Amino acid sequence: DEHLPPAPHPNRPEEPSAVAMGHSFEGRVALLKSQLDVAESNYNEALDTIWMLVCAMLVFFMHSGFSLLEAGCVRFKNTQNILAKNLIVVTLGFLCWYFIGWPLAFGTPTASEPTKMAGSNNFAMDGFLAEKVAFRNWFFQGCFCATGGTIVSGAVAERSKLRGFATYTVLMTSIIYPVVIWWGWSGNGWVSYT
């Protein structure tokens, strides 16, 4: 009785032995190592995503701080105007970043020769489902783009009309900021072109 294998569990199918499956000890170790590498990669990706989202939210909440600061620095009659400007930056700015800004800032060129002026791909998040990292990068960079417009809203407080500031926000978040980003950070722009 000592030399008989244990009886299989009635609710679990019997697993074939390692020898029957053709796995040696080294093969099982290699399999475990590859599984561990995949788990570590997933863990690192999750940590990167959490960290980028936390940092993006910190930058995003700068809008509320700027709103409070600017509302306290203007006359009472202009408080609603300055708060509307900050709301326009967040809403209209992110829409412009979605449709035009991200592709100009980070869209990889489709031609074999990269362009020195601006990106030309991923309009309206086209192709983002193939690479999930792009979603977190889009939000992270969009927060900085919109914050650039919010900083200017404080500089022009009580000095510009809402329509003029909305026009500036569209230009800032869809053309000015993205093109400058492409020039310096893409590796293909004229500032960093090799």
Side-chain angles (χ1 to χ4, degrees):
D1 289 341
E2 310 176 345
H3 302 290
L4 293 175
H9 193 274
N11 295 334
R12 189 174 31 192
E14 185 176 353
E15 296 180 7
S17 67
V19 176
M21 290 178 12
H23 293 292
S24 64
F25 177 74
E26 292 83 14
R28 288 182 12 210
V29 169
L31 178 66
L32 287 173
K33 181 165 178 19
S34 69
Q35 290 173 344
L36 181 63
D37 290 342
V38 169
E40 182 181 10
S41 167
N42 290 338
Y43 178 75
N44 289 339
E45 181 65 29
L47 284 178
D48 288 347
T49 300
I50 290 169
W51 177 247
M52 284 190 75
L53 288 177
V54 166
C55 292
M57 291 310 297
L58 289 173
V59 173
F60 188 79
F61 279 114
M62 289 173 68
H63 293 280
S64 62
F66 282 128
S67 295
L68 294 174
L69 174 68
E70 293 165 13
C73 291
V74 298
R75 290 176 289 178
F76 179 75
K77 68 177 189 168
N78 293 324
T79 304
Q80 287 182 344
N81 187 342
I82 200 71
L83 294 177
K85 286 179 182 177
N86 283 300
L87 191 59
I88 283 175
V89 169
V90 172
T91 55
L92 190 61
F94 262 97
L95 281 174
C96 292
W97 179 251
Y98 170 76
F99 285 111
I100 301 169
W102 172 267
L104 294 180
F106 294 102
T108 55
T110 55
S112 60
E113 182 67 28
T115 176
K116 295 180 184 180
M117 290 308 291
S120 59
N121 204 2
N122 303 112
F123 286 92
M125 290 187 175
D126 182 40
F128 271 35
L129 292 177
E131 188 176 349
K132 304 284 192 265
V133 175
F135 286 107
R136 72 171 187 220
N137 291 336
W138 177 88
F139 182 66
F140 182 76
Q141 296 295 337
C143 287
F144 279 99
C145 181
T147 301
T150 303
I151 292 170
V152 174
S153 76
V156 297
E158 298 185 330
R159 293 174 184 87
S160 69
K161 292 189 176 184
L162 198 58
R163 184 177 297 146
F165 184 75
T167 304
Y168 160 76
T169 299
V170 168
L171 289 173
M172 173 72 174
T173 57
S174 60
I175 297 172
I176 299 169
Y177 185 88
V179 169
V180 171
I181 294 302
W182 177 265
W183 289 350
W185 292 352
S186 69
N188 294 322
W190 68 271
V191 175
S192 63
Y193 195 77
T194 56

